Amino acid sequence: MFTHAKKCSLAVLAALACGPALAEEFTLTSTDIAPGEFMASAQEFEGFGCAGGNLSPQLSWSGTPQGTRAFAILAYDPDAPTGSGWWHWQLVNIPVDVRSLPAGAGDPGKQLAPAGSLQIANDYGSPGFGGACPPQGHGTHRYQFTLHALSQTLDLPDNPSGALVGYMVKAHSLGSSTIEALYRRD
């Protein structure tokens, strides 16, 4: 036997289930990287003992949260032996009408990033994408490529730290989607 509160709860659940369809899920995809899969040497850094292509992966997204005014891509290695991880890429203030980035958009010299976006200095010390380069023999590292839908474009100081950018992105994030790819140097 149901109490009145349980009957009302069931009625609310039924109305939600039968009501308008929910918005499309906010999803990040790539033709170059995949969740739980090892990245190609194209995404390996060139320098610091690494000899990869230093090519940022192609990325696409769909299901933009309501109220989105801009996007940000953050690429981070939480397994770097630094005590604070490693920022590989922070591209912010991507215009709201953009839904994909071509491979190589993380290279400021190629001018493939959308107009109005801002490439922040990575932990290698240069703006744009800095590929995977875990210490040799350190095991498998995770590389989290996270797209954030932002409630506003970010007003940042000149040469902001990766930590400040990460804080500002998360403070204004309406939603996020992550591809966690892997890389190892034996």
Side-chain angles (χ1 to χ4, degrees), residues 127-161:
F129 179 76
C133 187
Q136 198 156 10
H138 197 256
T140 300
H141 283 219
R142 296 168 292 156
Y143 295 86
Q144 299 164 344
F145 290 81
T146 303
L147 172 71
H148 288 270
L150 303 176
S151 61
Q152 65 181 53
T153 57
L154 302 181
D155 184 19
L156 298 168
D158 291 340
N159 303 312
S161 69

Side-chain angles (χ1 to χ4, degrees), residues 72-168:
I73 293 285
L74 305 180
Y76 179 72
D77 172 4
D79 303 313
T82 63
S84 60
W86 192 272
W87 289 110
H88 286 269
W89 192 21
Q90 293 180 318
L91 177 62
V92 301
N93 295 342
I94 301 167
V96 70
D97 60 339
V98 172
R99 293 294 181 276
S100 67
L101 298 172
D107 181 345
K110 292 183 179 180
Q111 299 182 349
L112 296 174
S117 63
L118 178 63
Q119 303 255 20
I120 307 300
N122 57 49
D123 280 344
Y124 295 111
S126 60
F129 179 76
C133 187
Q136 198 156 10
H138 197 256
T140 300
H141 283 219
R142 296 168 292 156
Y143 295 86
Q144 299 164 344
F145 290 81
T146 303
L147 172 71
H148 288 270
L150 303 176
S151 61
Q152 65 181 53
T153 57
L154 302 181
D155 184 19
L156 298 168
D158 291 340
N159 303 312
S161 69
L164 174 63
V165 173
Y167 173 83
M168 294 298 289

Side-chain angles (χ1 to χ4, degrees), residues 5-58:
K6 286 184 180 175
K7 286 180 184 175
C8 289
S9 295
L10 289 173
V12 168
L13 287 174
L16 289 174
C18 298
L22 296 175
E24 181 183 359
E25 184 178 348
F26 190 42
T27 305
L28 178 65
T29 59
S30 176
T31 58
D32 296 327
I33 60 173
E37 299 291 328
F38 283 88
M39 294 186 290
S41 63
Q43 279 73 54
E44 182 180 292
F45 189 64
E46 185 177 359
F48 279 60
C50 291
N54 202 44
L55 186 69
S56 60
Q58 181 279 336

